[in-house]
Amino acid sequence: MKNKGLTKVDLIFESIDIMKVMKKAFEMTSDEIIQQILESGLKGRGGAGFPTGLKWKYTAAEKDPEKYIVCNADEGEPGTFKDREILDKVASKVYAGMTIAGKAMGARKGFIYLRGEYRFLLPQLFVELHKFHKLINEIGYDFSIEYRMGSGAYICGEESALFESIEGFRGEPRNKPPYPTVSGLFSKPTSINNVETLVTAVMIIEKGANEYFKLGTKDSRGSKVFSISGDTPIPGIFELELGMTVQEFVNEFGDGDTKAVQVGGASGFCVPRKKFGETIIGFEGVPTGGSMKLFNSSRSMYNLLHNYLDFFAEESCGQCTPCRVGCQQLLKGVEKVKKGEAKSTYLNELVKLADTMKVASKCGLGQSVGNAFKSIVENFREEIIY
Amino acid sequence: MYQTGNMVKELAEKHGRKRESLMPILQEIVRKHNYLTDDVMVAVATELDISAAEVYGTASFYTFLDTQERGKNVIRVCKTITCSMKGKNDIVSTLEDILKIKVGETTPDKMFTLLETNCIGWCHKAPAILINDMPYTDLTPETVIDVVKGYMR
Ligand SMILES: Cc1cc2nc3c(=O)[nH]c(=O)nc-3n(C[C@H](O)[C@H](O)[C@H](O)COP(=O)(O)O)c2cc1C
Ligand code: SF4
Ligand code: FES
């Protein structure tokens, strides 16, 4: 596989003429916009990585005159803080992304679901939104955006739980299908995209799909905003071209003593030092919504695992048994092994449980608990036992 | 306890009386009074013409829609891994010392409630806390005292 190395990029935070790029999009047909997004190879930046162009195409194909564009700004994955920075610095690009998406799919209404923890940003976001609404009114385009707030539930970042929450219910994920493109918010065709995905779409329209396609690798096109924290001398938000290895990442951001990198937050994967060189950060290796946490050799991987399991046990919506009971059992299980109340071979039983949760859980939360669990237990078994 | 009065009616005028109005209404009550009383939830149910159990069932799902009495200022200390690695325990014990309460408790004068919460999106500036809506980051036991003193009026 071609190795791209580590390259810094400046697309998401670049200041651009919003009016110019919107006029460009308004002069294109819906199909032309969608074609650009398809050709760019962009995959969703919220974690799951569904091709954005396809999502837009499916939503556009629905006949219902009422459709919605939803921006997912729930950003609850531990270690992710880039969407806050994007909204803080370039909110008008998010609004433009939603408007262009609306034009492409025939939607006239957008919602931004902002996590309650970011409420302090609302006053400035409203000022920007007011200016933006005036701008599109001036050119006679009919699209409006409203904010809806979360109230401290991680699961509401899951798209169907998010719809439930906006509709005024408990944030419990729905069965799929039907998918949001067919029946989403208020049971209408809905395109839900992450904050960064929408801004990336704006930049693809601005620069052209060909330019964007040049960045990244076959499976992971373009660049991405990373949220970098933990044992690093330079924690913060960095936009990097996709396709680097964990080793190249650690060379730039490590403190010289990195023993593991947790890629993709609590629902992502733990990469140990011996696999840094062979592991690519992207859909061909370890995918990430942007969360990158570095751990040096002074850190206990048991503490990391325990912290994540505690997180999942609290944040599981409790709707389905494999996840509700499974999260509790994994947490209690590793505690027992650590205390010597269960044999170390009990870990094998717990790994089986994590596998069962992957197939039997209703939504991505329960399905991905096993990612961190297995990658930590398999690579740092001694630290979990002793 | 606080008086419900006309508040719920006014909020229903502002946010509407549809099911989707429920969250914005509850959120605004909590912003004003920090928690939801049984009375206020019954009043909301009456305004929206749904059962009180529906209102309670929805509110109880959301960590920030507290149904237990909370102080005027709610302090939430992030306990997720990065904050935990960067001194969250020292922040908690400092807060417990100056407020003379434990995590989960409210001061007798109802000025502060101390809670822990999951990642609040400031891991690059850990340890971090929220006081009501405001984040405070890069904290040390010294600076967190100054921050909390600012709320002691
Ligand atoms: C438990 C859980 C939490 C999620 N949280 C978020 C989130 O905070 N932000 C986000 O954009 N996507 C989140 N997602 C993914 C969304 O369900 C959805 O795939 C995404 O918003 C689609 O946008 P994208 O295609 O632009 O990535 C979460 C998924 C799960 C299962
Ligand atoms: S997997 Fe977990 S979070 Fe998802 S629906 Fe089931 S209980 Fe809820
Ligand atoms: S771990 Fe504390 S803010 Fe993210």
Side-chain angles (χ1 to χ4, degrees):
Chain A
M1 189 161 310
K2 190 158 138 246
N3 193 347
K4 303 281 283 195
L6 188 141
T7 317
K8 293 194 175 145
V9 179
D10 182 24
L11 275 179
I12 298 292
F13 296 102
E14 186 190 328
S15 68
I16 56 161
D17 184 342
I18 293 292
M19 211 44 211
K20 208 173 129 209
V21 67
M22 287 211 303
K23 278 191 181 142
K24 186 171 176 187
F26 290 156
E27 278 162 16
M28 296 162 80
T29 65
S30 296
D31 285 348
E32 282 166 352
I33 297 174
I34 292 169
Q35 199 54 34
Q36 284 286 302
I37 305 301
L38 274 170
E39 281 171 17
S40 74
L42 173 64
K43 291 181 182 170
R45 297 307 192 214
F50 191 80
T52 307
L54 277 184
K55 191 181 281 189
W56 290 22
K57 190 175 157 180
Y58 295 155
T59 313
E62 290 297 317
K63 292 281 174 279
D64 203 312
E66 221 175 302
K67 298 179 188 178
Y68 297 106
I69 304 300
V70 175
C71 169
N72 191 339
D74 197 48
E75 192 160 69
E77 190 63 53
T80 317
F81 36 85
K82 46 110 190 163
D83 292 338
R84 170 177 51 69
E85 186 84 354
I86 294 171
L87 283 165
D88 187 9
K89 298 281 157 60
V90 288
S92 61
K93 285 171 86 172
V94 180
Y95 304 153
M98 293 176 73
T99 310
I100 293 171
K103 151 94 189 179
M105 290 173 262
R108 309 232 158 260
K109 177 105 208 141
F111 288 94
I112 301 178
Y113 188 87
L114 183 69
R115 71 184 304 208
E117 289 83 343
Y118 293 168
R119 184 181 274 275
F120 71 99
L121 280 175
L122 259 192
Q124 79 182 59
L125 293 174
F126 278 149
V127 171
E128 285 285 320
L129 184 58
H130 186 69
K131 276 194 245 166
F132 184 82
H133 278 153
K134 262 177 76 176
L135 202 74
I136 52 175
N137 272 340
E138 270 165 30
I139 54 171
Y141 191 71
D142 175 20
F143 190 80
S144 68
I145 297 171
E146 280 182 37
Y147 275 93
R148 287 289 182 275
M149 300 304 298
S151 272
Y154 165 70
I155 190 58
C156 289
E158 195 282 338
E159 52 199 25
S160 63
L162 188 153
F163 302 148
E164 288 290 312
S165 183
I166 295 184
E167 291 178 22
F169 297 93
R170 297 161 67 87
E172 290 171 348
R174 301 172 182 169
N175 283 318
K176 285 182 212 172
Y179 291 97
T181 52
V182 176
S183 174
L185 184 60
F186 302 118
S187 307
K188 295 291 176 187
T190 304
S191 172
I192 176 164
N193 282 118
N194 173 257
V195 174
E196 183 186 349
T197 310
L198 290 161
V199 176
T200 308
V202 172
M203 296 314 287
I204 290 166
I205 299 298
E206 150 103 10
K207 309 252 179 228
N210 291 340
E211 278 304 302
Y212 193 76
F213 192 81
K214 284 182 194 156
L215 296 173
T217 65
K218 184 166 121 315
D219 290 333
S220 310
R221 289 288 164 203
S223 54
K224 154 128 219 31
V225 184
F226 288 88
S227 312
I228 301 169
S229 69
D231 293 314
T232 164
I234 41 170
I237 292 139
F238 297 84
E239 187 173 4
L240 304 170
E241 184 176 356
L242 287 167
M244 73 203 132
T245 64
V246 178
Q247 186 63 59
E248 285 158 337
F249 176 84
V250 166
N251 292 347
E252 179 82 10
F253 295 100
D255 63 358
D257 185 27
T258 310
K259 85 165 165 190
V261 182
Q262 180 74 23
V263 182
S267 53
F269 296 86
C270 183
V271 183
R273 186 185 285 151
K274 63 174 185 286
K275 293 185 186 156
F276 286 175
E278 68 195 52
T279 309
I280 292 183
I281 302 167
F283 297 107
E284 53 271 81
V286 278
T288 175
S291 173
M292 303 291 290
K293 288 198 188 230
L294 294 94
F295 300 92
N296 68 23
S297 58
S298 77
R299 305 298 179 185
S300 148
M301 300 311 275
Y302 173 80
N303 286 352
L304 172 66
L305 180 62
H306 190 274
N307 193 277
Y308 282 168
L309 291 175
D310 189 52
F311 172 82
F312 285 125
E314 271 182 27
E315 299 292 348
S316 161
C317 83
Q319 201 189 170
C320 67
T321 317
C323 170
R324 183 183 64 241
V325 179
C327 290
Q328 296 288 348
Q329 290 304 315
L330 291 179
L331 178 62
K332 282 188 205 147
V334 296
E335 285 175 351
K336 274 193 198 156
V337 171
K338 190 71 175 177
K339 286 187 199 141
E341 290 166 12
K343 281 199 216 136
S344 63
T345 49
Y346 186 52
L347 282 177
N348 306 342
E349 300 298 311
L350 296 178
V351 166
K352 273 190 218 150
L353 172 59
D355 284 335
T356 306
M357 288 170 70
K358 193 175 188 77
V359 287
S361 295
K362 182 167 172 179
C363 86
L365 189 150
Q367 287 159 11
S368 53
V369 171
N371 296 349
F373 186 82
K374 286 174 68 176
S375 55
I376 295 173
V377 167
E378 278 161 13
N379 291 302
F380 297 96
R381 201 177 166 93
E382 299 77 41
E383 286 195 40
I384 309 305
I385 301 170
Y386 304 107
Chain B
M1 287 283 273
Y2 53 88
Q3 290 307 312
T4 307
N6 275 333
M7 173 178 58
V8 175
K9 206 168 223 85
E10 283 160 18
L11 288 175
E13 296 296 330
K14 177 173 166 191
H15 295 289
R17 291 184 167 80
K18 288 190 265 186
R19 180 68 194 229
E20 74 221 53
S21 320
L22 179 59
M23 288 286 286
I25 291 175
L26 297 179
Q27 284 165 339
E28 201 161 330
I29 299 171
V30 169
R31 267 167 63 72
K32 221 179 208 152
H33 295 289
N34 304 304
Y35 71 106
L36 301 164
T37 60
D38 287 351
D39 283 354
V40 94
M41 285 188 278
V42 170
V44 171
T46 311
E47 276 303 324
L48 301 192
D49 199 17
I50 53 180
S51 82
E54 280 289 324
V55 176
Y56 180 78
T58 305
S60 63
F61 184 85
Y62 296 94
T63 325
F64 286 10
L65 298 179
D66 280 308
T67 50
Q68 267 177 312
E69 184 166 12
R70 299 295 188 209
K72 182 159 176 265
N73 301 294
V74 179
I75 306 177
R76 295 175 202 270
V77 182
C78 171
K79 65 171 163 125
T80 305
I81 190 68
T82 306
C83 289
S84 187
M85 280 161 40
K86 307 264 168 172
K88 164 245 157 191
N89 283 347
D90 293 340
I91 301 299
V92 169
S93 54
T94 304
L95 289 170
E96 287 180 335
D97 279 353
I98 60 166
L99 299 174
K100 301 189 179 60
I101 51 172
K102 296 275 169 228
V103 170
E105 295 176 353
T106 298
T107 53
D109 64 1
K110 313 276 186 229
M111 279 296 281
F112 292 96
T113 297
L114 181 60
L115 301 171
E116 289 185 339
T117 193
N118 288 322
C119 183
I120 56 174
W122 290 95
C123 329
H124 56 322
K125 294 177 191 257
I129 67 172
L130 280 176
I131 302 186
N132 308 326
D133 290 343
M134 276 312 294
Y136 296 90
T137 61
D138 281 324
L139 293 169
T140 64
E142 292 75 41
T143 56
V144 79
I145 292 179
D146 288 343
V147 167
V148 169
K149 277 190 176 153
Y151 286 83
M152 284 185 175
R153 269 161 288 130

